[in-house]
Coordinates of all heavy atoms in Angstrom, one line a residue:
G1 N -28.7 20.3 5.6 CA -29.0 20.9 6.8 C -28.3 20.3 8.0 O -28.0 20.9 9.0
C2 N -28.1 19.0 7.9 CA -27.4 18.2 9.0 C -25.9 18.5 9.1 O -25.3 18.0 10.0 CB -27.7 16.7 8.9 SG -27.1 16.0 7.4
L3 N -25.4 19.1 8.1 CA -23.9 19.5 8.0 C -23.0 18.2 8.0 O -21.9 18.3 8.4 CB -23.5 20.4 9.2 CG -24.3 21.7 9.2 CD1 -23.8 22.5 10.5 CD2 -24.0 22.5 8.0
T4 N -23.5 17.1 7.3 CA -22.7 16.0 7.2 C -22.3 15.8 5.7 O -21.6 14.9 5.4 CB -23.4 14.7 7.7 OG1 -24.6 14.4 6.9 CG2 -23.7 14.8 9.1
G5 N -22.8 16.7 4.8 CA -22.4 16.6 3.4 C -23.1 17.6 2.6 O -23.6 18.6 3.1
F6 N -23.1 17.4 1.3 CA -23.6 18.3 0.3 C -24.6 17.6 -0.7 O -24.5 16.4 -0.9 CB -22.5 18.9 -0.5 CG -21.6 19.8 0.2 CD1 -20.5 19.3 0.9 CD2 -21.8 21.2 0.3 CE1 -19.6 20.2 1.6 CE2 -21.0 22.0 1.0 CZ -19.9 21.5 1.7
Y7 N -25.4 18.4 -1.3 CA -26.2 17.9 -2.4 C -25.7 18.5 -3.7 O -25.3 19.7 -3.7 CB -27.7 18.4 -2.3 CG -28.4 17.6 -1.2 CD1 -28.9 18.3 -0.1 CD2 -28.6 16.2 -1.3 CE1 -29.5 17.6 0.9 CE2 -29.3 15.5 -0.3 CZ -29.8 16.2 0.8 OH -30.4 15.5 1.8
L8 N -25.5 17.7 -4.7 CA -25.1 18.1 -6.0 C -26.2 17.7 -6.9 O -26.6 16.5 -7.0 CB -23.8 17.4 -6.4 CG -23.4 17.6 -7.9 CD1 -23.1 19.0 -8.2 CD2 -22.2 16.7 -8.2
I9 N -26.8 18.7 -7.6 CA -27.9 18.4 -8.6 C -27.3 18.6 -10.0 O -26.8 19.7 -10.3 CB -29.1 19.2 -8.3 CG1 -29.6 19.0 -6.9 CG2 -30.2 18.9 -9.3 CD1 -30.8 19.9 -6.5
L10 N -27.4 17.6 -10.8 CA -26.9 17.7 -12.2 C -28.0 17.3 -13.2 O -28.9 16.5 -12.9 CB -25.8 16.6 -12.4 CG -24.5 16.8 -11.6 CD1 -23.6 15.6 -11.8 CD2 -23.8 18.1 -11.9
K11 N -27.8 17.9 -14.4 CA -28.7 17.4 -15.5 C -28.3 16.0 -15.9 O -27.1 15.6 -15.7 CB -28.4 18.3 -16.7 CG -28.8 19.8 -16.6 CD -28.4 20.6 -17.8 CE -28.6 22.0 -17.6 NZ -28.1 22.8 -18.7
G12 N -29.2 15.2 -16.3 CA -28.9 13.8 -16.7 C -28.9 12.9 -15.6 O -29.3 13.2 -14.4
S13 N -28.4 11.7 -15.8 CA -28.3 10.7 -14.8 C -27.0 9.9 -15.0 O -26.8 9.3 -16.0 CB -29.5 9.8 -14.8 OG -29.4 8.8 -13.8
R14 N -26.1 10.0 -14.0 CA -24.9 9.2 -14.0 C -24.8 8.4 -12.8 O -25.4 8.7 -11.8 CB -23.7 10.2 -14.1 CG -23.6 11.0 -15.4 CD -22.6 12.1 -15.2 NE -22.6 13.0 -16.3 CZ -23.6 13.9 -16.6 NH1 -24.6 14.1 -15.8 NH2 -23.5 14.7 -17.6
T15 N -23.9 7.4 -12.8 CA -23.7 6.6 -11.6 C -22.8 7.4 -10.6 O -22.1 8.3 -11.1 CB -23.1 5.3 -11.9 OG1 -21.7 5.5 -12.4 CG2 -23.9 4.5 -12.9
P16 N -22.9 7.1 -9.3 CA -22.0 7.8 -8.4 C -20.5 7.5 -8.8 O -19.7 8.4 -8.6 CB -22.3 7.1 -7.1 CG -23.8 6.8 -7.2 CD -23.9 6.3 -8.6
Q17 N -20.2 6.3 -9.3 CA -18.9 6.0 -9.7 C -18.4 7.0 -10.8 O -17.2 7.3 -10.9 CB -18.7 4.6 -10.2 CG -18.9 3.6 -9.1 CD -20.4 3.2 -8.9 OE1 -21.3 3.9 -9.2 NE2 -20.6 2.0 -8.2
E18 N -19.3 7.4 -11.7 CA -18.9 8.4 -12.7 C -18.6 9.8 -12.2 O -18.0 10.6 -12.9 CB -20.0 8.5 -13.8 CG -20.2 7.3 -14.6 CD -21.4 7.3 -15.5 OE1 -22.5 7.2 -15.1 OE2 -21.2 7.6 -16.7
L19 N -19.0 10.1 -11.0 CA -18.7 11.4 -10.3 C -17.5 11.3 -9.4 O -17.0 12.3 -8.9 CB -19.9 11.8 -9.5 CG -21.2 12.0 -10.3 CD1 -22.3 12.5 -9.3 CD2 -21.0 13.0 -11.4
Y20 N -16.9 10.1 -9.3 CA -15.8 9.9 -8.4 C -14.6 10.9 -8.7 O -14.2 11.6 -7.8 CB -15.3 8.5 -8.4 CG -14.1 8.2 -7.6 CD1 -14.2 8.0 -6.2 CD2 -12.8 8.3 -8.2 CE1 -13.0 7.8 -5.5 CE2 -11.7 8.1 -7.4 CZ -11.8 7.8 -6.1 OH -10.6 7.7 -5.3
E21 N -14.2 10.9 -9.9 CA -13.0 11.8 -10.2 C -13.4 13.3 -10.1 O -12.5 14.0 -9.6 CB -12.5 11.5 -11.7 CG -11.9 10.2 -11.9 CD -10.5 10.1 -11.1 OE1 -9.8 11.1 -10.9 OE2 -10.2 8.9 -10.6
L22 N -14.6 13.6 -10.5 CA -15.0 15.0 -10.3 C -15.0 15.4 -8.8 O -14.4 16.5 -8.5 CB -16.4 15.2 -10.9 CG -17.1 16.6 -10.6 CD1 -16.3 17.7 -11.4 CD2 -18.5 16.6 -11.0
M23 N -15.5 14.6 -8.0 CA -15.6 15.0 -6.5 C -14.2 14.9 -5.9 O -13.8 15.8 -5.2 CB -16.5 14.0 -5.8 CG -18.0 14.3 -6.1 SD -18.6 15.9 -5.5 CE -18.4 16.9 -7.0
L24 N -13.4 13.9 -6.3 CA -12.0 13.9 -5.8 C -11.2 15.1 -6.2 O -10.6 15.8 -5.4 CB -11.3 12.6 -6.3 CG -9.9 12.4 -5.9 CD1 -9.8 12.3 -4.3 CD2 -9.3 11.1 -6.5
N25 N -11.3 15.5 -7.5 CA -10.6 16.7 -8.0 C -11.2 18.0 -7.3 O -10.4 18.9 -7.0 CB -10.7 16.8 -9.5 CG -9.9 15.7 -10.1 OD1 -9.0 15.1 -9.6 ND2 -10.3 15.3 -11.4
A26 N -12.5 18.0 -7.1 CA -13.1 19.2 -6.5 C -12.6 19.4 -5.1 O -12.1 20.5 -4.7 CB -14.6 19.1 -6.5
F27 N -12.6 18.3 -4.3 CA -12.1 18.4 -2.9 C -10.6 18.6 -2.9 O -10.1 19.4 -2.0 CB -12.6 17.3 -2.1 CG -14.0 17.4 -1.7 CD1 -15.0 17.0 -2.5 CD2 -14.3 18.1 -0.5 CE1 -16.4 17.2 -2.1 CE2 -15.6 18.2 0.0 CZ -16.6 17.8 -0.8
R28 N -9.8 18.0 -3.8 CA -8.4 18.3 -3.8 C -8.1 19.7 -4.2 O -7.1 20.3 -3.8 CB -7.7 17.3 -4.9 CG -7.5 15.9 -4.3 CD -6.3 15.9 -3.4 NE -6.1 14.6 -2.9 CZ -6.0 14.3 -1.6 NH1 -6.1 15.3 -0.7 NH2 -5.9 13.1 -1.1
S29 N -8.9 20.3 -5.0 CA -8.7 21.7 -5.5 C -8.7 22.7 -4.3 O -8.1 23.8 -4.4 CB -9.7 22.1 -6.6 OG -10.9 22.4 -6.0
V30 N -9.4 22.4 -3.3 CA -9.5 23.3 -2.1 C -8.1 23.7 -1.6 O -7.9 24.8 -1.1 CB -10.4 22.7 -1.0 CG1 -10.5 23.6 0.2 CG2 -11.8 22.4 -1.6
N31 N -7.2 22.7 -1.6 CA -5.8 23.0 -1.1 C -5.2 24.2 -1.8 O -4.4 24.9 -1.2 CB -4.9 21.8 -1.4 CG -4.8 20.9 -0.1 OD1 -5.0 21.4 1.0 ND2 -4.6 19.7 -0.3
G32 N -5.5 24.4 -3.1 CA -4.8 25.5 -3.8 C -5.5 26.8 -3.7 O -5.0 27.8 -4.2
V33 N -6.6 26.9 -2.9 CA -7.3 28.2 -2.8 C -6.6 29.0 -1.7 O -6.3 28.5 -0.6 CB -8.8 27.9 -2.4 CG1 -9.5 29.1 -2.1 CG2 -9.5 27.1 -3.5
T34 N -6.4 30.3 -2.1 CA -5.8 31.2 -1.1 C -6.9 32.2 -0.5 O -6.6 32.8 0.5 CB -4.7 32.0 -1.7 OG1 -5.2 32.7 -2.9 CG2 -3.5 31.1 -2.1
E35 N -8.0 32.3 -1.2 CA -9.1 33.1 -0.7 C -10.4 32.5 -1.1 O -10.6 32.1 -2.3 CB -8.9 34.5 -1.4 CG -9.9 35.5 -0.9 CD -9.6 36.9 -1.5 OE1 -8.4 37.3 -1.5 OE2 -10.5 37.5 -2.1
V36 N -11.4 32.5 -0.2 CA -12.7 31.9 -0.5 C -13.4 32.9 -1.5 O -13.5 34.1 -1.2 CB -13.5 31.7 0.8 CG1 -14.9 31.2 0.4 CG2 -12.8 30.8 1.7
P37 N -13.8 32.4 -2.6 CA -14.5 33.2 -3.6 C -15.9 33.7 -3.1 O -16.6 33.0 -2.4 CB -14.7 32.4 -4.9 CG -14.5 31.0 -4.4 CD -13.7 31.0 -3.1

């Protein structure tokens, strides 16, 4: 609601470090988008 970030809810429990590549790749993927789905 404060518009400073997002919540991601996942099954299981991983460390934030384990999500690093996922988040990096997710945000990098935005560059290749030509139309918002």
Side-chain angles (χ1 to χ4, degrees):
C2 62
L3 301 175
T4 62
F6 291 88
Y7 288 114
L8 172 62
I9 303 175
L10 297 175
K11 296 175 188 173
S13 182
R14 293 166 188 77
T15 66
Q17 291 87 340
E18 291 175 282
L19 299 183
Y20 174 84
E21 289 295 326
L22 174 66
M23 288 295 96
L24 181 59
N25 292 335
F27 279 88
R28 281 282 176 233
S29 77
V30 176
N31 264 335
V33 173
T34 57
E35 185 177 309
V36 178

